[in-house]
Amino acid sequence: MPFSRLLIRLAVALAIGGAAVLLYRALGRYTLEEITDSVAAIPAASFAGAAAFAAASYLCLTGFDWLALRYAGKPLAWRRAALASFVSLSIGHNIGVAALSSGAIRYRFYTRWGLDAGDVAKVILFSGATVGLGLATLGGFGLLLYPAEAERLVGMGRPALTGVAAACLAVPVLYLAASAFVRGKLRFRRWTLDLPALPLAAAQVAVGTLNFACVAACLHRLLAAFSDVSYLEVAAIYVIGNVMALVSHVPGGLGVLEATVLYLLPGGAAIGALIAFRVVYFFVPLAFGLPLLLASEYVLRGASGDQDARRVSQEKAAAASSRAS
């Protein structure tokens, strides 16, 4: 077996094992009574709404890969892009360092469908850029719409926040302008960036922004079970927390999600909303993603073996025909 293939199989195995361990550790932070009581306190309609928005977010994420494959010049059917995207990200979101953990799983899928390592790297980079563009767009609007909340959350003055908002919104504007007018390759010293066509870039900004809007809506539906906080405030503070994590330390050393929830809804109810959000957005997709990965490994390995057998048979037939002639 080639060494590179062995490394990929090892990475996939580590991804599966890491996901299982982290799932156990994440759930182990809470008692079974805390989990069941928190989930039981949320009305079924709110839980169903949160699940619907989580599904919409993962649907947007499949669009990341579908667009990225066209950017790489290797378009695939949506069902294949969706499978690779959902499996890799449902696991990568739980493991962390998604670019590496989900990247290894993407590589496993896409190389079987005709992409090489360079193509997969383009898919990963394009998807990462889509995340950044969506976060910058929604974050910029969030800073402008709720500057007072942002001041209290990160301790920055209004002029500094306005500057951050302008910088955030400048990112998608400049990106679209470059795609429209520069076209082709953008060079900066030793760096070279292949810019997508304007329609592809516009779709990239739109789907990236919509993804974060769906994640915020998922969180809002669960918070609404304990408070009358508005969707716009949840969306703004959630994205502000993500943006500010890049330029400032979150109060108390908490993670972005924890700081956001505790800011919006202090006290025990925040724990319930947070647990429910982690269950809906992280653990449930992981419960589907792991079996799908194992099943796809079995199916795709069998298909790959059949192709290898047919190729060997064709080569033998060709050799026999050559000897006969």
Side-chain angles (χ1 to χ4, degrees):
M1 178 186 299
F3 183 67
S4 60
R5 183 174 297 180
L6 181 62
L7 286 178
I8 294 300
R9 290 189 177 182
L10 178 61
V12 172
L14 289 175
I16 296 173
V21 170
L22 289 174
L23 177 59
Y24 172 78
R25 288 183 177 178
L27 289 174
R29 297 173 186 172
Y30 313 106
T31 66
L32 180 60
E33 184 179 2
E34 284 179 323
I35 295 174
T36 55
D37 289 348
S38 299
V39 174
I42 299 173
S46 297
F47 211 94
F53 282 116
S57 170
Y58 277 92
L59 181 62
C60 290
L61 292 172
T62 67
F64 287 23
D65 279 50
W66 190 80
L67 294 172
L69 289 164
R70 275 144 184 79
Y71 168 74
K74 295 296 180 67
L76 294 175
W78 177 82
R79 65 181 184 277
R80 289 188 169 184
L83 176 63
S85 172
F86 177 76
V87 171
S88 62
L89 292 175
S90 64
I91 295 173
H93 283 166
N94 284 275
I95 293 179
V97 195
L100 296 178
S101 55
S102 65
I105 300 174
R106 278 187 172 114
Y107 183 90
R108 184 71 170 164
F109 278 104
Y110 289 139
T111 52
R112 285 169 164 166
W113 293 330
L115 280 71
D116 59 27
D119 297 327
V120 177
K122 288 182 178 180
V123 170
I124 294 171
L125 290 174
F126 184 93
S127 298
T130 308
V131 170
L133 289 166
L135 188 60
T137 304
L138 203 58
F141 283 118
L143 289 170
L144 292 178
L145 290 172
Y146 287 91
E149 285 77 4
E151 286 185 47
R152 291 196 296 270
L153 180 63
V154 299
M156 295 177 66
R158 188 69 59 90
L161 287 173
T162 303
V164 173
C168 287
L169 293 176
V171 172
V173 171
L174 292 175
Y175 183 76
L176 292 174
S179 298
F181 299 110
V182 176
R183 300 176 184 176
K185 295 183 182 295
L186 180 65
R187 289 184 173 84
F188 179 75
R189 296 183 179 177
R190 294 182 299 175
W191 298 93
T192 300
L193 174 64
D194 291 324
L195 291 170
L198 180 59
L200 195 61
Q204 189 179 8
V205 174
V207 74
T209 305
L210 182 60
N211 171 60
F212 279 103
C214 289
V215 178
C218 174
L219 178 58
H220 171 257
R221 292 300 300 162
L222 298 170
L223 287 171
F226 304 99
S227 172
D228 59 356
V229 62
S230 70
Y231 166 75
L232 286 177
E233 188 175 2
V234 174
I237 298 304
Y238 178 79
V239 180
I240 287 168
N242 278 277
V243 173
M244 290 300 104
L246 302 176
V247 296
S248 176
H249 293 290
V250 180
L254 297 171
V256 172
L257 177 60
E258 286 76 5
T260 303
V261 174
L262 290 174
Y263 172 80
L264 289 169
L265 191 62
I271 299 176
L274 179 60
I275 292 174
F277 179 79
R278 290 199 177 280
V279 169
V280 171
Y281 196 80
F282 292 94
F283 301 152
V284 171
L286 180 63
F288 286 98
L290 280 174
L292 277 174
L293 175 60
L294 295 173
S296 61
E297 280 291 304
Y298 176 79
V299 172
L300 292 176
R301 182 181 299 175
S304 178
D306 291 342
Q307 291 175 357
D308 291 341
R310 285 196 298 269
R311 185 172 61 251
V312 170
S313 177
Q314 291 170 355
E315 290 174 354
K316 289 182 177 178
S321 176
S322 176
R323 286 194 299 269
S325 61

